[in-house]
Structures are given as C-alpha cells and as structure tokens.
Amino acid sequence: MSAKKNRYAKLKERSRRSANRVEERDAGSKKKLIFIDIENPDIIGDDPVNLYKPRYTTGKQKNKIDILPFNISQEWYKKLLSYNKETIGLDVGDADYKLEIAIHTFGSKGNLRQELCHRESFGGNCEICNKMFEVYKMEPRTKETKEYADSLQPSWRVFYNVYDYEDPDKGIQIMEMAFGNFEKYLMPAAGLSTDAIEDDGDDDPVYFFDLKDGATLSFSGIKESYGNIEYVTATSFDFIEREEPYNGDVVNETYPLDRMIHISTEKEVTSAFINQFEDDPGPQEDDSQKKNAPVDTDDDRLHCPEGGTFGIDCNELAECKKCGIFDKCAVEQVMSKKSKPEKEPEKEPEKEPEKEPEKEPEKEPEKRTRSFGKRIKKG
C-alpha cells in the first residue's frame, strides 16, 4: 500500500470509530466567535479566508458542498480526544477531514473569550470545568446558579474545509458547526456508524471526504434558535457522485486547521478565567441604577450592594436573585471555599490513660507480600 493510500485508509478507519458510541449531548450554540486564526498570513497566505454557513432551505432547495481533507502538521493532534472520547491517533502527514474540539466561551458580552477545554480535549485538568461542577453543587439551587453553570459548559465545535457549489468563486472556505447541528447527523447518513451499517444491510459506507472516490453532500437546512441566536441545523443528507475526482494536490490548498488554533496551557486557561473578573468590574452606579450596583469603595474588590459580604453571602439574601453581580459573587464564593483550609476539629482534653492489665506477648504475625500481575504487551 502506497503512503498516500495508507493516509486515507487511516482516515477512513478513524471516521468509522468516530461515528460509533456517540452520545446524545447538548449542542446549542451561544456565541458569535470563531476559535481558529483566520488572519495569520504565515498560515493562510495573503488572501482572506471565506467562512461558509449552511443556508436555511425550503421545499426542494438544498445546500450542496464538498468536504475536503487537510494534512495534519501538529504533533499534539494524535493525542486529541474526539467527541466520543476516543483518541484520534492520526500522525503528522496523515489526513483528516475535520477538526473536532471542545471550547469554553466566557467573559462579558462585549469581551468574550474562547479557550480549549483540556478536560474534554486531552483528558487533563480544566479549572473552568471544575468551577462549573462546583457551582452546580451549590445549595440552595437557583435559576441563576444553574444558568451560570450552564454558561461554563464546553461546546463541541467542528471545523471543515468546504467547496460551495452555490458560490464557486470563493474557492475553498471554512465551515464551523456545533457537533449536534451537523456532524451528529452526517455520520449515520453516510453509513459510518455501527447502527447505520446494521440498518442499511449491504450498503457500503460513503467516504465523502475521499479526493478520488468521495461524494458531494446535498442537505437541507432547518432554522432553529437558542435564546436570541438563530442558526441552521443540517438534515436530510444525500450523497451525489462527483462529476470528476479532485487532484491529490488539493490537500496542499486546503487550510491546515490544526495549525490555525492556539492551545493555551492549563495554567494559562485558569489565569484567563480568573482575570476576567478583574478586567470587568461589573455595572457601575449611576442616576438610573442605584439598586443592585457594587458599592463604591477605595479598594478594587467588588462589594455587596445590599450590605452582605461579597463572595460569602451569595444566595443568602432575598435580593441575590436580582443582583447585577451575582455571577461574579458566585465564582468568588466557590474559589474562596476552595482556597480556605478546612478547620481542624477541636481537640478534647486528654484523659489519663487507664492502666491495662498486663497481657502475654503476642506472636508476631507472618509477613505477607502483595503480588502485582505484570501487564504483558503483545506485539
């Protein structure tokens, strides 16, 4: 098998594994940002990057695109976890048709920030997730604490290189979709999940991303909403035979998606998350806002507008539910609880030991050793 064929064989196997054991998870979109770097000329060249968005369709209208693979160039990519919790396992020089990552979005409306979730993406520690779990456990539970914890959940995003038949002049574009709005339905439609293969019987999977034998995707777009945000979910996939195959050199023209993201360290993510509360002091008191505003003081810390202790009395006062700095107070409370050592129980006064009757010396027990089975790695 040639090196080029081997690359795509590994991609096909990775696609089958990625489609299996996918869990039902919430995939609502809540932001208007793009995580990848679309401005660095050293990566993308001099031409601007065009971003593709599936269209809302009615009747017989369809979106019609080709999804094209890219060459993997980053060593960390092999250790990346996919949505179904499996390690991707593709090496530098292999090809993949998507970049599938978990992202946190946090900050104020005018100053949103995105960071990779190390827990979901690499199985590491993520302080944002830690705060999310702690806020979920806070008592008493309120609508505000739940909404704040929900906002800390990572969102699975998937990036693709696509060619849009409705707008060919733009050439190769980048499409970003929530996992639950596109990839979740694409995999079974292509017959790449175990359930789809069993249901379809003799139908072969469609490796739509293959440059030589791939297929054009035709699909409908359903308009949905999450809060005030409207977005399109893909459905009713059809796979159309391409008029001609792509040249193998196309992978040199697709965007190197793994090079276009910056992966902050766990420490950097923690620092960015904590520092957001220093950069955004919250609403300030003015003539029209005297209630629920931070008390003006000489120091830089926020203070409870109702006379409580910021970060301590969160959710204890009747006015907390309507407070304009509730989110910041809740996080401060969680962080302060984590940083304070638990109080040691008070020692009871020592009693004079009672004299015990003399005992015959006990026999020394036999010494036992713990044996560990060796894990044998077969070649």
Side-chain angles (χ1 to χ4, degrees):
M1 183 182 290
S2 66
K4 182 179 290 187
K5 287 183 178 179
N6 184 50
R7 282 193 311 162
Y8 290 104
K10 291 175 70 174
L11 172 53
K12 290 176 182 178
E13 175 59 26
R14 174 258 204 277
S15 301
R16 284 193 294 266
R17 288 188 291 106
S18 177
N20 295 332
R21 298 190 298 129
V22 171
E23 303 166 353
E24 294 290 333
R25 300 171 65 163
D26 180 27
S29 174
K30 58 183 177 183
K31 58 187 176 54
K32 272 283 186 181
L33 296 174
I34 185 163
F35 185 64
I36 59 177
D37 185 352
I38 59 173
E39 298 180 351
N40 189 340
D42 294 334
I43 299 176
I44 65 170
D46 297 326
D47 296 328
V49 175
N50 292 308
L51 303 178
Y52 169 79
K53 293 182 179 180
R55 303 169 185 86
Y56 165 63
T57 60
T58 58
K60 295 183 179 180
Q61 293 177 334
K62 291 279 189 175
N63 293 282
K64 189 178 176 183
I65 63 172
D66 289 338
I67 292 181
L68 305 172
F70 68 96
N71 282 331
I72 297 168
S73 61
Q74 305 300 302
E75 293 287 348
W76 55 259
Y77 198 87
K78 184 175 184 177
K79 300 178 182 179
L80 189 67
L81 297 177
S82 61
Y83 180 88
N84 67 354
K85 304 297 185 184
E86 286 196 353
T87 305
I88 289 178
L90 295 176
D91 296 303
V92 170
D94 289 334
D96 204 349
Y97 74 89
K98 63 180 177 179
L99 171 65
E100 188 175 281
I101 51 176
I103 301 171
H104 283 289
T105 302
F106 56 91
S108 59
K109 289 184 179 180
N111 188 29
L112 290 177
R113 177 168 180 150
Q114 292 181 319
E115 291 289 355
L116 188 88
C117 175
H118 280 267
R119 180 180 67 88
E120 291 276 15
S121 299
F122 292 104
N125 176 63
C126 175
E127 197 62 26
I128 302 177
C129 285
N130 293 343
K131 296 296 180 290
M132 173 187 70
F133 294 134
E134 290 175 5
V135 174
Y136 273 133
K137 295 177 182 178
M138 287 177 61
E139 294 292 348
R141 284 189 175 187
T142 66
K143 178 183 177 182
E144 287 75 15
T145 55
K146 183 183 182 303
E147 287 179 350
Y148 179 66
D150 288 346
S151 73
L152 298 180
Q153 285 196 25
S155 171
W156 278 93
R157 314 297 297 179
V158 191
F159 298 86
Y160 310 84
N161 282 279
V162 302
Y163 175 81
D164 178 19
Y165 283 90
E166 294 295 322
D167 202 351
D169 291 340
K170 289 186 177 179
I172 297 174
Q173 304 183 62
I174 291 178
M175 175 175 73
E176 176 192 2
M177 294 290 287
F179 179 92
N181 298 341
F182 192 86
E183 188 73 13
K184 173 181 174 180
Y185 304 108
L186 173 61
M187 290 289 95
L192 291 170
S193 64
T194 301
D195 293 340
I197 293 174
E198 291 175 352
D199 292 342
D200 293 343
D202 297 331
D203 289 349
D204 292 328
V206 180
Y207 297 108
F208 51 86
F209 46 78
D210 191 281
L211 293 177
K212 181 181 178 182
D213 303 317
T216 294
L217 276 62
S218 174
F219 59 94
S220 301
I222 301 175
K223 186 182 292 185
E224 298 186 307
S225 63
Y226 181 84
N228 296 325
I229 300 174
E230 290 188 346
Y231 57 93
V232 170
T233 293
T235 185
S236 302
F237 282 94
D238 289 314
F239 301 92
I240 305 170
E241 185 177 353
R242 293 174 183 161
E243 294 181 1
E244 58 181 343
Y246 282 91
N247 188 298
D249 293 335
V250 166
V251 291
N252 298 321
E253 300 176 23
T254 53
Y255 293 103
L257 299 176
D258 59 338
R259 285 187 63 200
M260 297 174 72
I261 66 171
H262 170 70
I263 301 180
S264 302
T265 64
E266 294 178 1
K267 186 176 181 180
E268 288 171 339
V269 173
T270 300
S271 178
F273 180 63
I274 294 174
N275 289 341
Q276 68 171 308
F277 304 110
E278 298 177 3
D279 298 336
D280 178 20
Q284 300 297 316
E285 186 175 15
D286 56 32
D287 294 338
S288 62
Q289 184 183 7
K290 295 183 178 180
K291 189 80 171 174
N292 298 328
V295 177
D296 189 14
T297 60
D298 294 334
D299 60 38
D300 295 329
R301 287 179 53 84
L302 293 172
H303 289 260
C304 176
E306 298 299 330
T309 303
F310 178 78
I312 301 296
D313 296 328
C314 183
N315 231 20
E316 297 293 331
L317 306 176
E319 294 81 1
C320 285
K321 292 183 179 181
K322 299 180 181 180
C323 183
I325 57 171
F326 178 87
D327 290 351
K328 298 176 179 61
C329 187
V331 171
E332 179 70 18
Q333 185 183 54
V334 172
M335 293 175 62
S336 63
K337 286 181 180 179
K338 188 171 182 179
S339 61
K340 290 181 180 180
E342 296 183 1
K343 293 183 179 180
E344 295 184 2
E346 296 182 3
K347 294 182 179 180
E348 295 183 2
E350 295 184 0
K351 296 180 180 180
E352 293 185 7
E354 297 179 1
K355 292 184 179 181
E356 297 183 1
E358 293 184 3
K359 296 182 179 179
E360 296 183 4
E362 297 181 359
K363 294 182 180 180
E364 186 177 347
E366 292 184 15
K367 292 183 178 179
R368 303 178 64 183
T369 59
R370 178 183 291 180
S371 60
F372 295 88
K374 293 183 178 178
R375 179 172 295 178
I376 301 173
K377 190 174 183 180
K378 295 183 180 179

